[in-house]
């Protein structure tokens, strides 16, 4: 059985509000000290608005499509992998390759999560299929960013400090990730926030090393 502390953590995560997870996602990509609180809140709000607009647009265009049909409708290929390349350090469920218009679906990690769910009697809380769909919708949003001129999440620039003296402008990856998470939540209609599945993935991978 899963240790009580892990189950407790997952239950706590499920009960956390959306606002917590939006800030959690944002702060992973932009240090808290890099922006004023007002700027962070503005970026998060506009990123969520962008996700909602894209969700409504594509749900109207592709109403009735199953999750499996979405990539083809967007002229995307889906590559199924059952191993990690030697150069791949980060473990992922799905990955968008813009130059190839392809979403890579990593079954090695999916299988590991499925085993973790079953072995630890978590089937009443999580579903591997739902996690797969959430991951796919997340990467689909990143594709939408590449085909939508001037979309906020791909064009928003922030000023960063270099060596605490010089400043430069760079794209705000955090805006893109916040919106992608929100889009996947809306598309999947899951009762479980996508970030909780990310925590589940981390637990599954730390429980055993993927080789």
């Amino acid at each position: 059985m899963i240790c009580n502390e892990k189950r407790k953590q997952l239950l706590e995560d499920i009960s956390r509000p959306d606002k917590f997870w939006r800030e959690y996602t944002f702060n992973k990509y932009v240090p808290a000290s890099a922006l004023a609180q007002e700027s962070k809140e503005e970026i998060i709000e506009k990123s969520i608005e962008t996700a909602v607009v894209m969700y409504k647009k594509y749900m109207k265009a592709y109403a009735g499509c199953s999750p499996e049909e979405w990539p083809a409708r967007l002229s995307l290929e889906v590559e199924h992998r059952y191993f990690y390349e030697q150069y791949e350090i980060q473990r992922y469920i799905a990955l968008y390759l813009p130059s190839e218009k392809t979403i890579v679906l990593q079954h090695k990690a999916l299988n590991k999560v499925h085993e973790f769910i079953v072995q630890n009697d978590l089937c009443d809380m999580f579903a591997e299929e739902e996690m797969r769909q959430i991951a796919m919708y997340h990467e689909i949003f990143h594709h939408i960013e590449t085909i939508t001129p001037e979309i906020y999440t791909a064009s928003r620039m922030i000023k960063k400090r270099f060596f605490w003296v010089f400043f430069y402008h760079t794209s705000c990856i955090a805006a893109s990730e916040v919106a992608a998470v929100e889009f996947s939540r809306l598309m999947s209609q899951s009762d479980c926030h996508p970030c909780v599945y990310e925590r589940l993935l981390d637990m599954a991978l730390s429980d055993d090393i993927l080789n």
Side-chain angles (χ1 to χ4, degrees):
M1 294 289 289
I2 189 173
C3 72
N4 290 335
E5 284 302 313
K6 286 184 177 179
R7 176 176 281 277
K8 180 181 177 182
Q9 180 63 64
L10 289 168
L11 288 171
E12 288 179 355
D13 287 342
I14 289 174
S15 67
R16 294 185 192 276
D18 288 347
K19 185 177 186 295
F20 172 88
W21 291 117
R22 290 165 181 171
E23 293 188 353
Y24 165 85
T25 301
F26 189 92
N27 290 335
K28 282 199 305 180
Y29 297 93
V30 178
S33 60
L35 291 171
Q37 181 66 23
E38 293 77 10
S39 297
K40 182 176 81 170
E41 291 178 352
E42 176 190 356
I43 293 173
I44 291 175
E45 181 180 352
K46 289 186 176 179
S47 298
I48 297 301
E49 289 174 358
T50 301
V52 172
V53 168
M54 293 298 106
Y55 164 72
K56 291 180 178 179
K57 173 182 177 179
Y58 284 95
M59 281 299 290
K60 181 178 180 180
Y62 303 140
C65 285
S66 68
E68 293 73 22
E69 293 174 314
W70 270 73
R73 289 297 188 98
L74 290 163
S75 301
L76 282 168
E77 297 291 332
V78 177
E79 177 185 340
H80 297 271
R81 287 186 189 173
Y82 298 85
F83 59 90
Y84 285 101
E85 302 287 355
Q86 290 186 346
Y87 61 83
E88 292 180 314
I89 299 175
Q90 183 180 5
R91 300 308 190 226
Y92 57 87
I93 293 293
L95 179 68
Y96 174 54
L97 305 177
S99 62
E100 302 174 28
K101 293 187 177 180
T102 297
I103 293 177
V104 176
L105 191 61
Q106 184 50 261
H107 289 273
K108 192 172 184 69
L110 280 170
N111 291 340
K112 182 59 189 174
V113 172
H114 176 70
E115 291 173 6
F116 186 82
I117 291 172
V118 173
Q119 291 172 359
N120 293 289
D121 195 25
L122 296 171
C123 296
D124 59 325
M125 296 169 61
F126 304 102
E128 180 266 336
E129 176 66 14
E130 184 173 72
M131 184 176 189
R132 183 188 66 79
Q133 292 179 7
I134 286 173
M136 287 288 288
Y137 285 133
H138 185 110
E139 302 309 320
I140 283 173
F141 181 82
H142 288 316
H143 173 67
I144 289 173
E145 287 181 302
T146 69
I147 62 174
T148 307
E150 301 302 318
I151 187 171
Y152 174 79
T153 52
S155 60
R156 179 61 163 89
M157 305 294 286
I158 59 172
K159 186 165 68 172
K160 283 191 173 183
R161 192 192 302 263
F162 181 61
F163 285 146
W164 299 100
V165 177
F166 306 104
F167 290 91
Y168 66 97
H169 286 83
T170 183
S171 59
C172 185
I173 298 175
S176 175
E177 290 302 316
V178 168
V181 169
E182 184 69 13
F183 182 81
S184 68
R185 186 186 71 82
L186 292 168
M187 289 298 303
S188 66
Q189 293 294 297
S190 173
D191 293 330
C192 182
H193 196 280
C195 289
V196 181
Y197 273 105
E198 179 185 327
R199 292 282 184 92
L200 180 67
L201 173 63
D202 290 341
M203 286 184 180
L205 298 186
S206 63
D207 195 51
D208 191 12
I209 298 175
L210 284 176
N211 294 310

